[in-house]
Amino acid sequence: MIQRAFWKDFWRTLGKSVTRFLSILAITALGVGFYAGITATEPDMILSADRYYQAQNLADFSILSPLGFRPEDIEQILQLPGIQTAEPRSFKDVFLADP
């Protein structure tokens, strides 16, 4: 008996607010579609980026140190298995102000 009253009330409420129901349904469908699209394209984007990195011969990783590296450190890095080249660089963060 309670179940029949529930469904009767449900359909009556839905009939009074069809536009609200359809708009919530559309928003949910749009969100699910967007999520499915992003999830499906992620592996392709990773593969595309990997191919680009290989074609451009970009670095596989970077080693950073706040104190810097000595020449002996660079030599030890070059001794590691699988390391073909190492390019030491130096960076400096500066703040500029207009006079």
Coordinates of all heavy atoms in Angstrom, one line a residue:
M1 N 0.8 -1.2 0.0 CA 0.0 0.0 0.0 C 0.9 1.3 0.0 O 0.6 2.2 -0.7 CB -0.9 0.0 1.2 CG -1.9 1.1 1.3 SD -3.1 0.9 0.0 CE -4.2 2.1 0.4
I2 N 1.9 1.3 0.9 CA 2.8 2.4 0.9 C 3.5 2.6 -0.4 O 3.7 3.7 -0.8 CB 3.7 2.3 2.2 CG1 2.9 2.4 3.4 CG2 4.8 3.4 2.1 CD1 3.8 2.1 4.7
Q3 N 3.9 1.5 -0.9 CA 4.7 1.5 -2.2 C 3.9 2.1 -3.3 O 4.4 2.9 -4.1 CB 5.2 0.1 -2.6 CG 6.5 0.1 -3.2 CD 7.0 -1.3 -3.4 OE1 6.3 -2.2 -3.5 NE2 8.3 -1.4 -3.4
R4 N 2.6 1.8 -3.4 CA 1.7 2.3 -4.4 C 1.5 3.8 -4.2 O 1.5 4.6 -5.2 CB 0.4 1.6 -4.4 CG -0.5 1.9 -5.6 CD -1.6 1.1 -5.8 NE -2.2 0.6 -4.6 CZ -3.4 0.0 -4.5 NH1 -4.1 -0.2 -5.6 NH2 -3.9 -0.5 -3.4
A5 N 1.4 4.2 -3.0 CA 1.2 5.7 -2.7 C 2.5 6.4 -3.1 O 2.5 7.6 -3.6 CB 0.9 5.9 -1.2
F6 N 3.6 5.8 -2.8 CA 4.9 6.4 -3.2 C 5.0 6.7 -4.7 O 5.4 7.8 -5.1 CB 6.1 5.5 -2.7 CG 7.4 6.0 -3.3 CD1 8.1 7.1 -2.7 CD2 8.0 5.3 -4.3 CE1 9.3 7.5 -3.2 CE2 9.2 5.7 -4.8 CZ 9.8 6.8 -4.3
W7 N 4.7 5.7 -5.5 CA 4.8 5.8 -6.9 C 3.8 6.8 -7.5 O 4.0 7.5 -8.4 CB 4.7 4.4 -7.6 CG 5.9 3.6 -7.4 CD1 6.1 2.5 -6.7 CD2 7.2 3.9 -8.0 NE1 7.4 2.1 -6.8 CE2 8.1 2.9 -7.6 CE3 7.7 4.9 -8.8 CZ2 9.4 2.9 -7.9 CZ3 9.0 4.9 -9.2 CH2 9.9 3.9 -8.8
K8 N 2.6 6.8 -6.9 CA 1.6 7.7 -7.3 C 2.0 9.2 -7.0 O 1.9 10.0 -7.9 CB 0.3 7.4 -6.5 CG -0.9 8.2 -7.0 CD -2.2 7.8 -6.2 CE -3.4 8.6 -6.7 NZ -4.6 8.2 -5.9
D9 N 2.6 9.4 -5.9 CA 3.1 10.7 -5.5 C 4.3 11.1 -6.4 O 4.5 12.2 -6.8 CB 3.5 10.7 -4.0 CG 4.0 12.1 -3.6 OD1 3.3 13.1 -3.9 OD2 5.1 12.2 -3.0
F10 N 5.2 10.1 -6.7 CA 6.3 10.3 -7.6 C 5.9 10.8 -8.9 O 6.4 11.8 -9.5 CB 7.2 9.0 -7.7 CG 8.3 9.1 -8.7 CD1 9.4 9.8 -8.4 CD2 8.2 8.5 -9.9 CE1 10.5 9.9 -9.3 CE2 9.2 8.6 -10.8 CZ 10.3 9.3 -10.5
W11 N 5.0 10.1 -9.6 CA 4.5 10.4 -10.9 C 3.8 11.8 -10.9 O 3.9 12.5 -11.9 CB 3.7 9.3 -11.5 CG 4.5 8.1 -11.8 CD1 4.4 6.9 -11.2 CD2 5.6 8.0 -12.8 NE1 5.3 6.0 -11.8 CE2 6.1 6.7 -12.7 CE3 6.2 8.9 -13.7 CZ2 7.1 6.2 -13.5 CZ3 7.2 8.4 -14.5 CH2 7.7 7.1 -14.4
R12 N 3.0 12.0 -9.9 CA 2.3 13.3 -9.8 C 3.3 14.5 -9.7 O 3.2 15.5 -10.4 CB 1.4 13.3 -8.6 CG 0.5 14.6 -8.5 CD -0.4 14.6 -7.3 NE -1.3 13.4 -7.5 CZ -1.8 12.7 -6.4 NH1 -1.4 13.0 -5.2 NH2 -2.6 11.7 -6.6
T13 N 4.4 14.3 -8.9 CA 5.4 15.3 -8.7 C 6.2 15.5 -10.0 O 6.5 16.6 -10.4 CB 6.4 15.0 -7.6 OG1 5.6 14.7 -6.4 CG2 7.4 16.1 -7.3
L14 N 6.5 14.4 -10.7 CA 7.2 14.5 -11.9 C 6.4 15.2 -13.0 O 6.9 16.0 -13.8 CB 7.6 13.1 -12.4 CG 8.4 13.0 -13.7 CD1 9.8 13.6 -13.4 CD2 8.6 11.5 -14.1
G15 N 5.1 14.9 -13.0 CA 4.2 15.6 -14.0 C 4.1 17.1 -13.8 O 3.9 17.8 -14.7
K16 N 4.2 17.5 -12.5 CA 4.1 19.0 -12.3 C 5.4 19.7 -12.6 O 5.4 20.9 -12.8 CB 3.8 19.2 -10.8 CG 2.4 18.8 -10.4 CD 2.2 19.0 -8.9 CE 0.9 18.6 -8.5 NZ 0.7 18.7 -7.0
S17 N 6.5 19.0 -12.7 CA 7.8 19.6 -12.9 C 8.6 18.9 -14.0 O 9.8 18.5 -13.8 CB 8.6 19.7 -11.6 OG 8.9 18.4 -11.1
V18 N 8.0 18.7 -15.2 CA 8.6 18.0 -16.3 C 9.9 18.8 -16.7 O 10.9 18.1 -17.0 CB 7.6 17.8 -17.4 CG1 8.3 17.2 -18.6 CG2 6.5 16.9 -17.0
T19 N 9.8 20.1 -16.8 CA 11.0 20.8 -17.3 C 12.2 20.7 -16.4 O 13.3 20.6 -16.8 CB 10.6 22.3 -17.5 OG1 10.1 22.8 -16.3 CG2 9.6 22.5 -18.6
R20 N 11.9 20.7 -15.1 CA 13.0 20.6 -14.1 C 13.6 19.2 -14.2 O 14.8 19.0 -14.2 CB 12.5 20.8 -12.7 CG 13.6 20.7 -11.7 CD 13.1 20.7 -10.2 NE 12.4 22.0 -10.0 CZ 11.7 22.2 -8.9 NH1 11.5 21.3 -8.0 NH2 11.1 23.4 -8.8
F21 N 12.8 18.2 -14.4 CA 13.3 16.8 -14.5 C 14.1 16.7 -15.8 O 15.2 16.1 -15.8 CB 12.1 15.8 -14.5 CG 12.5 14.4 -14.8 CD1 13.1 13.7 -13.8 CD2 12.3 13.8 -16.1 CE1 13.5 12.3 -14.1 CE2 12.7 12.6 -16.3 CZ 13.3 11.8 -15.3
L22 N 13.6 17.2 -16.9 CA 14.4 17.1 -18.2 C 15.7 17.9 -18.1 O 16.7 17.5 -18.7 CB 13.5 17.6 -19.3 CG 12.3 16.7 -19.7 CD1 11.5 17.3 -20.8 CD2 12.8 15.3 -20.0
S23 N 15.7 19.0 -17.4 CA 16.9 19.8 -17.3 C 18.0 19.1 -16.5 O 19.2 19.0 -16.8 CB 16.7 21.2 -16.8 OG 16.2 21.2 -15.5
I24 N 17.5 18.5 -15.4 CA 18.5 17.7 -14.5 C 19.0 16.5 -15.3 O 20.1 16.1 -15.3 CB 17.8 17.3 -13.2 CG1 17.5 18.5 -12.3 CG2 18.6 16.2 -12.5 CD1 16.7 18.2 -11.1
L25 N 18.1 15.8 -16.1 CA 18.5 14.7 -16.9 C 19.5 15.1 -17.9 O 20.5 14.4 -18.2 CB 17.2 14.1 -17.6 CG 17.5 12.8 -18.4 CD1 17.8 11.7 -17.4 CD2 16.2 12.5 -19.2
A26 N 19.3 16.3 -18.6 CA 20.2 16.8 -19.6 C 21.6 17.1 -19.0 O 22.6 16.8 -19.6 CB 19.6 18.0 -20.3
I27 N 21.6 17.8 -17.9 CA 22.8 18.1 -17.2 C 23.6 16.9 -16.8 O 24.8 16.8 -17.0 CB 22.6 19.0 -16.0 CG1 22.1 20.4 -16.4 CG2 23.8 19.2 -15.1 CD1 21.6 21.3 -15.3
T28 N 22.9 15.9 -16.3 CA 23.5 14.6 -15.9 C 24.1 13.9 -17.1 O 25.3 13.4 -17.1 CB 22.5 13.7 -15.2 OG1 22.0 14.4 -14.1 CG2 23.2 12.4 -14.7
A29 N 23.3 13.9 -18.2 CA 23.8 13.2 -19.4 C 25.0 14.0 -20.0 O 26.0 13.3 -20.5 CB 22.7 13.2 -20.5
L30 N 25.0 15.3 -19.9 CA 26.2 16.1 -20.4 C 27.4 15.8 -19.6 O 28.5 15.6 -20.1 CB 25.8 17.5 -20.4 CG 26.9 18.5 -20.9 CD1 27.1 18.3 -22.4 CD2 26.5 19.9 -20.7
G31 N 27.3 15.7 -18.3 CA 28.4 15.4 -17.4 C 28.9 14.0 -17.6 O 30.1 13.8 -17.7
V32 N 28.0 13.0 -17.8 CA 28.5 11.7 -18.0 C 29.2 11.6 -19.4 O 30.2 10.9 -19.5 CB 27.3 10.7 -18.0 CG1 27.7 9.3 -18.5 CG2 26.8 10.6 -16.5
G33 N 28.7 12.2 -20.4 CA 29.3 12.2 -21.7 C 30.7 12.9 -21.7 O 31.6 12.4 -22.3
F34 N 30.8 14.0 -21.0 CA 32.1 14.7 -20.8 C 33.1 13.8 -20.1 O 34.3 13.7 -20.6 CB 31.9 16.0 -20.1 CG 33.2 16.8 -20.0 CD1 33.6 17.5 -21.1 CD2 33.9 16.9 -18.8 CE1 34.8 18.3 -21.0 CE2 35.0 17.6 -18.7 CZ 35.5 18.3 -19.9
Y35 N 32.7 13.2 -19.0 CA 33.6 12.3 -18.3 C 34.0 11.1 -19.1 O 35.2 10.8 -19.1 CB 32.9 11.8 -17.0 CG 33.8 10.9 -16.2 CD1 34.9 11.3 -15.5 CD2 33.5 9.5 -16.2 CE1 35.7 10.4 -14.8 CE2 34.3 8.6 -15.5 CZ 35.3 9.1 -14.8 OH 36.1 8.2 -14.1
A36 N 33.1 10.5 -19.8 CA 33.4 9.4 -20.7 C 34.4 9.8 -21.8 O 35.4 9.1 -22.1 CB 32.2 8.8 -21.3
G37 N 34.2 11.0 -22.4 CA 35.1 11.5 -23.4 C 36.5 11.7 -22.9 O 37.5 11.3 -23.5
I38 N 36.6 12.4 -21.7 CA 38.0 12.6 -21.2 C 38.6 11.3 -20.8 O 39.8 11.1 -21.0 CB 37.8 13.5 -19.9 CG1 37.4 14.9 -20.3 CG2 39.1 13.6 -19.1 CD1 38.4 15.7 -21.2
T39 N 37.9 10.4 -20.2 CA 38.5 9.1 -19.8 C 38.9 8.3 -21.0 O 40.0 7.6 -21.0 CB 37.4 8.3 -19.0 OG1 37.0 9.0 -17.9 CG2 38.0 7.0 -18.5
A40 N 38.2 8.4 -22.2 CA 38.6 7.6 -23.4 C 39.8 8.2 -24.1 O 40.5 7.5 -24.7 CB 37.4 7.6 -24.3
T41 N 39.9 9.6 -24.0 CA 41.0 10.2 -24.7 C 42.3 10.2 -24.0 O 43.4 10.5 -24.6 CB 40.6 11.6 -25.2 OG1 40.3 12.4 -24.0 CG2 39.5 11.6 -26.1
E42 N 42.3 10.0 -22.7 CA 43.5 10.1 -21.9 C 44.7 9.2 -22.4 O 45.8 9.6 -22.6 CB 43.3 9.7 -20.4 CG 44.5 9.8 -19.5 CD 44.3 9.2 -18.2 OE1 43.2 8.7 -17.9 OE2 45.2 9.4 -17.3
P43 N 44.4 7.9 -22.7 CA 45.5 7.1 -23.2 C 46.1 7.5 -24.5 O 47.3 7.5 -24.7 CB 44.9 5.7 -23.4 CG 43.7 5.7 -22.5 CD 43.2 7.1 -22.5
D44 N 45.2 8.1 -25.4 CA 45.7 8.6 -26.7 C 46.5 9.8 -26.5 O 47.5 10.0 -27.2 CB 44.5 8.9 -27.6 CG 43.8 7.6 -28.0 OD1 44.4 6.6 -28.0 OD2 42.6 7.7 -28.3
M45 N 46.2 10.7 -25.5 CA 46.9 11.9 -25.3 C 48.3 11.5 -24.7 O 49.3 12.2 -25.1 CB 46.2 12.8 -24.3 CG 44.9 13.4 -25.0 SD 43.8 14.5 -24.1 CE 44.5 14.6 -22.5
I46 N 48.4 10.6 -23.8 CA 49.7 10.1 -23.3 C 50.5 9.6 -24.3 O 51.7 9.9 -24.4 CB 49.4 9.1 -22.1 CG1 48.8 9.9 -20.9 CG2 50.7 8.5 -21.7 CD1 48.4 9.0 -19.8
L47 N 50.0 8.7 -25.2 CA 50.7 8.1 -26.3 C 51.2 9.2 -27.3 O 52.4 9.1 -27.7 CB 49.9 7.1 -27.0 CG 50.5 6.3 -28.2 CD1 51.7 5.5 -27.6 CD2 49.5 5.4 -28.9
S48 N 50.4 10.2 -27.6 CA 50.8 11.2 -28.5 C 51.9 12.1 -27.9 O 52.9 12.4 -28.6 CB 49.6 12.1 -28.8 OG 49.9 13.2 -29.6
A49 N 51.8 12.4 -26.6 CA 52.9 13.1 -25.9 C 54.2 12.3 -25.9 O 55.3 12.9 -26.1 CB 52.5 13.5 -24.5
D50 N 54.1 11.0 -25.6 CA 55.3 10.2 -25.6 C 56.0 10.2 -27.0 O 57.2 10.3 -27.1 CB 54.9 8.8 -25.1 CG 56.2 7.9 -24.9 OD1 57.1 8.4 -24.2 OD2 56.2 6.8 -25.4
R51 N 55.2 10.0 -28.0 CA 55.8 10.0 -29.4 C 56.4 11.3 -29.7 O 57.5 11.4 -30.3 CB 54.7 9.7 -30.4 CG 54.2 8.3 -30.5 CD 53.2 8.1 -31.6 NE 52.7 6.8 -31.5 CZ 51.6 6.4 -32.1 NH1 50.8 7.3 -32.7 NH2 51.1 5.1 -32.0
Y52 N 55.8 12.4 -29.3 CA 56.4 13.8 -29.6 C 57.7 13.9 -28.8 O 58.7 14.4 -29.4 CB 55.4 14.8 -29.1 CG 56.0 16.2 -29.3 CD1 56.0 16.8 -30.5 CD2 56.4 16.9 -28.2 CE1 56.5 18.1 -30.7 CE2 56.9 18.2 -28.3 CZ 57.0 18.8 -29.6 OH 57.5 20.0 -29.8
Y53 N 57.7 13.5 -27.5 CA 59.0 13.6 -26.8 C 60.1 12.8 -27.4 O 61.2 13.2 -27.4 CB 58.7 13.1 -25.3 CG 57.9 14.0 -24.5 CD1 57.4 13.6 -23.3 CD2 57.5 15.3 -24.9 CE1 56.6 14.5 -22.5 CE2 56.8 16.1 -24.2 CZ 56.3 15.7 -23.0 OH 55.5 16.5 -22.2
Q54 N 59.8 11.6 -27.9 CA 60.8 10.7 -28.5 C 61.3 11.3 -29.8 O 62.4 11.3 -30.1 CB 60.2 9.3 -28.8 CG 59.9 8.5 -27.5 CD 61.2 8.2 -26.7 OE1 62.3 8.1 -27.2 NE2 61.0 8.2 -25.4
A55 N 60.3 11.9 -30.6 CA 60.7 12.5 -31.9 C 61.6 13.7 -31.7 O 62.5 14.0 -32.5 CB 59.5 12.8 -32.7
Q56 N 61.3 14.5 -30.7 CA 62.1 15.7 -30.4 C 63.3 15.5 -29.6 O 64.0 16.5 -29.3 CB 61.2 16.8 -29.8 CG 60.0 17.2 -30.6 CD 60.4 17.8 -31.9 OE1 61.3 18.6 -32.0 NE2 59.7 17.5 -33.0
N57 N 63.5 14.3 -29.1 CA 64.6 13.9 -28.3 C 64.7 14.8 -27.0 O 65.7 15.3 -26.6 CB 65.9 14.0 -29.1 CG 67.0 13.2 -28.4 OD1 66.8 12.3 -27.7 ND2 68.3 13.5 -28.8
L58 N 63.5 14.9 -26.4 CA 63.4 15.7 -25.1 C 63.9 14.9 -23.9 O 64.0 13.6 -24.0 CB 62.0 16.1 -24.9 CG 61.4 17.1 -25.9 CD1 60.0 17.4 -25.6 CD2 62.2 18.4 -26.0
A59 N 64.2 15.5 -22.9 CA 64.7 14.9 -21.7 C 63.7 14.0 -21.0 O 62.5 14.3 -21.0 CB 65.2 15.9 -20.6
D60 N 64.1 12.8 -20.6 CA 63.2 11.9 -19.9 C 62.9 12.4 -18.5 O 61.8 12.2 -17.9 CB 63.8 10.5 -19.8 CG 63.8 9.9 -21.2 OD1 63.0 10.2 -22.0 OD2 64.8 9.1 -21.5
F61 N 63.9 13.0 -17.8 CA 63.7 13.5 -16.5 C 64.7 14.6 -16.2 O 65.7 14.7 -16.9 CB 63.7 12.4 -15.4 CG 65.0 11.7 -15.3 CD1 66.0 12.1 -14.5 CD2 65.2 10.5 -16.1 CE1 67.2 11.4 -14.4 CE2 66.4 9.9 -16.0 CZ 67.4 10.3 -15.2
S62 N 64.5 15.4 -15.1 CA 65.4 16.4 -14.7 C 65.7 16.2 -13.2 O 64.9 15.8 -12.4 CB 64.8 17.8 -14.9 OG 64.5 18.0 -16.2
I63 N 67.0 16.5 -12.9 CA 67.4 16.4 -11.5 C 67.7 17.8 -11.0 O 68.5 18.5 -11.7 CB 68.7 15.5 -11.3 CG1 68.4 14.1 -11.9 CG2 69.1 15.5 -9.9 CD1 69.6 13.3 -11.9
L64 N 67.0 18.3 -10.0 CA 67.2 19.6 -9.5 C 67.8 19.6 -8.1 O 67.5 18.7 -7.3 CB 65.8 20.3 -9.4 CG 65.1 20.4 -10.7 CD1 63.7 21.0 -10.4 CD2 65.8 21.3 -11.7
S65 N 68.6 20.6 -7.8 CA 69.2 20.7 -6.5 C 69.3 22.2 -6.1 O 69.7 23.0 -6.9 CB 70.6 20.1 -6.5 OG 71.3 20.4 -5.3
P66 N 68.8 22.5 -4.9 CA 68.9 23.9 -4.5 C 70.3 24.4 -4.2 O 70.6 25.6 -4.3 CB 68.0 24.0 -3.2 CG 68.0 22.6 -2.7 CD 68.1 21.7 -3.9
L67 N 71.2 23.4 -4.0 CA 72.6 23.8 -3.7 C 73.5 23.7 -4.9 O 74.6 24.1 -4.9 CB 73.2 22.9 -2.6 CG 72.4 23.0 -1.3 CD1 73.0 22.1 -0.3 CD2 72.4 24.4 -0.7
G68 N 73.0 23.1 -6.0 CA 73.8 22.9 -7.2 C 74.5 21.6 -7.2 O 74.5 20.8 -6.3
F69 N 75.1 21.3 -8.4 CA 75.9 20.0 -8.5 C 77.3 20.4 -8.8 O 77.7 21.3 -9.5 CB 75.3 19.2 -9.7 CG 73.9 18.7 -9.5 CD1 72.8 19.3 -10.1 CD2 73.7 17.6 -8.6 CE1 71.6 18.8 -9.9 CE2 72.4 17.2 -8.4 CZ 71.4 17.7 -9.0
R70 N 78.2 19.6 -8.3 CA 79.6 19.7 -8.6 C 79.9 18.9 -9.8 O 79.1 18.0 -10.2 CB 80.4 19.1 -7.4 CG 80.2 19.9 -6.1 CD 80.9 19.2 -5.0 NE 80.4 17.8 -4.9 CZ 80.5 17.0 -3.9 NH1 81.2 17.4 -2.9 NH2 80.0 15.8 -3.9
P71 N 81.0 19.1 -10.4 CA 81.4 18.3 -11.6 C 81.5 16.8 -11.3 O 81.1 16.0 -12.2 CB 82.8 18.8 -12.0 CG 82.8 20.2 -11.5 CD 82.0 20.2 -10.3
E72 N 81.9 16.4 -10.1 CA 81.9 15.0 -9.7 C 80.5 14.4 -9.7 O 80.3 13.2 -10.1 CB 82.5 14.8 -8.3 CG 83.9 15.4 -8.2 CD 83.9 16.8 -7.7 OE1 83.2 17.2 -6.8 OE2 84.7 17.6 -8.3
D73 N 79.5 15.2 -9.3 CA 78.1 14.7 -9.3 C 77.7 14.4 -10.7 O 77.0 13.4 -11.0 CB 77.2 15.8 -8.7 CG 77.5 16.0 -7.2 OD1 78.1 15.1 -6.5 OD2 77.3 17.2 -6.7
I74 N 78.0 15.3 -11.7 CA 77.6 15.1 -13.1 C 78.3 13.8 -13.6 O 77.7 13.0 -14.3 CB 78.0 16.3 -13.9 CG1 77.4 17.6 -13.4 CG2 77.6 16.1 -15.4 CD1 75.9 17.6 -13.4
E75 N 79.5 13.6 -13.2 CA 80.2 12.4 -13.7 C 79.6 11.1 -13.1 O 79.4 10.1 -13.8 CB 81.7 12.4 -13.3 CG 82.5 13.4 -14.0 CD 82.5 13.2 -15.5 OE1 82.6 12.0 -15.9 OE2 82.4 14.2 -16.3
Q76 N 79.2 11.2 -11.8 CA 78.5 10.0 -11.2 C 77.1 9.8 -11.9 O 76.7 8.6 -12.1 CB 78.3 10.3 -9.8 CG 79.5 10.1 -8.9 CD 79.2 10.3 -7.4 OE1 78.2 10.7 -7.0 NE2 80.2 9.9 -6.6
I77 N 76.4 10.8 -12.3 CA 75.2 10.6 -13.0 C 75.4 10.0 -14.4 O 74.7 9.1 -14.8 CB 74.4 12.0 -13.2 CG1 74.0 12.5 -11.8 CG2 73.3 11.9 -14.1 CD1 73.4 13.9 -11.8
L78 N 76.4 10.4 -15.0 CA 76.8 9.8 -16.4 C 77.2 8.3 -16.2 O 77.0 7.6 -17.2 CB 77.9 10.6 -17.0 CG 77.4 11.9 -17.6 CD1 78.7 12.7 -18.1 CD2 76.5 11.7 -18.8
Q79 N 77.6 7.9 -15.1 CA 78.0 6.5 -14.9 C 76.8 5.6 -14.6 O 77.0 4.4 -14.8 CB 79.0 6.4 -13.6 CG 80.2 7.2 -13.7 CD 81.2 6.7 -14.8 OE1 81.2 5.5 -15.1 NE2 81.9 7.6 -15.5
L80 N 75.7 6.1 -14.4 CA 74.5 5.3 -14.1 C 74.1 4.5 -15.4 O 74.2 5.0 -16.5 CB 73.3 6.2 -13.6 CG 73.5 6.8 -12.3 CD1 72.3 7.8 -12.0 CD2 73.5 5.8 -11.2
P81 N 73.6 3.3 -15.2 CA 73.2 2.5 -16.4 C 72.0 3.2 -17.1 O 71.1 3.6 -16.4 CB 72.9 1.2 -15.8 CG 72.6 1.4 -14.4 CD 73.4 2.6 -14.0
G82 N 72.1 3.2 -18.4 CA 71.0 3.7 -19.2 C 71.0 5.2 -19.5 O 70.2 5.7 -20.2
I83 N 72.0 5.9 -18.9 CA 72.2 7.3 -19.1 C 73.1 7.5 -20.3 O 74.2 7.1 -20.4 CB 72.8 8.0 -17.9 CG1 71.9 7.8 -16.7 CG2 73.0 9.5 -18.2 CD1 70.6 8.4 -16.7
Q84 N 72.5 8.2 -21.4 CA 73.3 8.5 -22.6 C 74.0 9.8 -22.5 O 75.2 9.9 -22.8 CB 72.4 8.4 -23.8 CG 71.9 7.0 -24.0 CD 70.9 6.9 -25.2 OE1 70.6 8.0 -25.8 NE2 70.5 5.7 -25.5
T85 N 73.3 10.8 -22.1 CA 73.8 12.2 -22.0 C 73.2 12.9 -20.8 O 72.2 12.6 -20.3 CB 73.5 13.0 -23.3 OG1 72.1 13.1 -23.4 CG2 74.1 12.4 -24.5
A86 N 74.0 13.9 -20.3 CA 73.5 14.7 -19.3 C 73.9 16.1 -19.6 O 75.1 16.4 -20.0 CB 74.1 14.3 -17.9
E87 N 73.0 17.1 -19.5 CA 73.3 18.4 -19.9 C 73.1 19.3 -18.6 O 72.0 19.6 -18.2 CB 72.4 18.9 -20.9 CG 72.5 18.2 -22.2 CD 71.5 18.7 -23.3 OE1 70.8 19.6 -23.0 OE2 71.5 18.1 -24.4
P88 N 74.2 19.7 -17.9 CA 74.1 20.5 -16.7 C 73.7 21.9 -17.1 O 74.1 22.5 -18.1 CB 75.5 20.5 -16.1 CG 76.4 20.0 -17.2 CD 75.6 19.3 -18.2
R89 N 72.7 22.5 -16.4 CA 72.2 23.8 -16.6 C 72.2 24.5 -15.3 O 72.1 23.9 -14.2 CB 70.8 23.8 -17.2 CG 70.6 22.9 -18.3 CD 70.6 23.7 -19.6 NE 70.4 22.7 -20.7 CZ 70.6 23.0 -21.9 NH1 71.0 24.2 -22.2 NH2 70.4 22.1 -22.8
S90 N 72.1 25.8 -15.3 CA 71.9 26.6 -14.1 C 70.8 27.6 -14.3 O 70.6 28.2 -15.4 CB 73.2 27.4 -13.7 OG 73.6 28.3 -14.7
F91 N 69.9 27.7 -13.3 CA 68.8 28.6 -13.3 C 68.9 29.5 -12.1 O 69.4 29.2 -11.1 CB 67.5 27.8 -13.3 CG 67.3 26.9 -14.4 CD1 67.7 25.6 -14.3 CD2 66.7 27.3 -15.6 CE1 67.5 24.7 -15.4 CE2 66.5 26.5 -16.6 CZ 66.9 25.1 -16.5
K92 N 68.3 30.7 -12.3 CA 68.3 31.6 -11.2 C 66.9 32.3 -11.2 O 66.4 32.8 -12.2 CB 69.4 32.7 -11.3 CG 69.5 33.6 -10.2 CD 70.6 34.6 -10.3 CE 71.9 33.9 -9.9 NZ 73.0 34.8 -9.7
D93 N 66.3 32.4 -10.0 CA 65.0 33.1 -9.9 C 65.3 34.5 -9.5 O 66.1 34.7 -8.5 CB 64.1 32.4 -8.8 CG 63.6 31.1 -9.2 OD1 63.4 30.9 -10.4 OD2 63.4 30.2 -8.4
V94 N 64.8 35.5 -10.2 CA 65.0 36.9 -9.9 C 63.7 37.6 -9.8 O 62.7 37.2 -10.5 CB 66.0 37.5 -10.9 CG1 67.4 36.9 -10.9 CG2 65.4 37.4 -12.3
F95 N 63.7 38.7 -9.1 CA 62.5 39.6 -9.0 C 62.9 40.9 -9.7 O 63.9 41.5 -9.3 CB 62.1 39.8 -7.6 CG 61.6 38.6 -7.0 CD1 62.4 37.8 -6.1 CD2 60.3 38.1 -7.2 CE1 61.9 36.7 -5.5 CE2 59.8 37.0 -6.6 CZ 60.6 36.3 -5.8
L96 N 62.1 41.4 -10.6 CA 62.4 42.6 -11.3 C 61.3 43.6 -10.9 O 60.1 43.3 -10.8 CB 62.4 42.5 -12.8 CG 63.5 41.5 -13.3 CD1 63.3 41.4 -14.8 CD2 64.9 42.0 -13.0
A97 N 61.7 44.9 -10.7 CA 60.7 45.9 -10.4 C 60.9 47.1 -11.3 O 62.1 47.4 -11.7 CB 60.9 46.4 -8.9
D98 N 59.8 47.7 -11.8 CA 59.9 48.9 -12.6 C 60.4 50.0 -11.8 O 60.0 50.3 -10.7 CB 58.5 49.2 -13.2 CG 58.2 48.2 -14.3 OD1 59.1 47.6 -14.9 OD2 56.9 48.0 -14.5
P99 N 61.3 50.8 -12.4 CA 61.8 52.0 -11.6 C 60.8 53.1 -11.5 O 59.8 53.2 -12.1 CB 63.0 52.5 -12.4 CG 63.0 51.8 -13.7 CD 62.0 50.7 -13.6

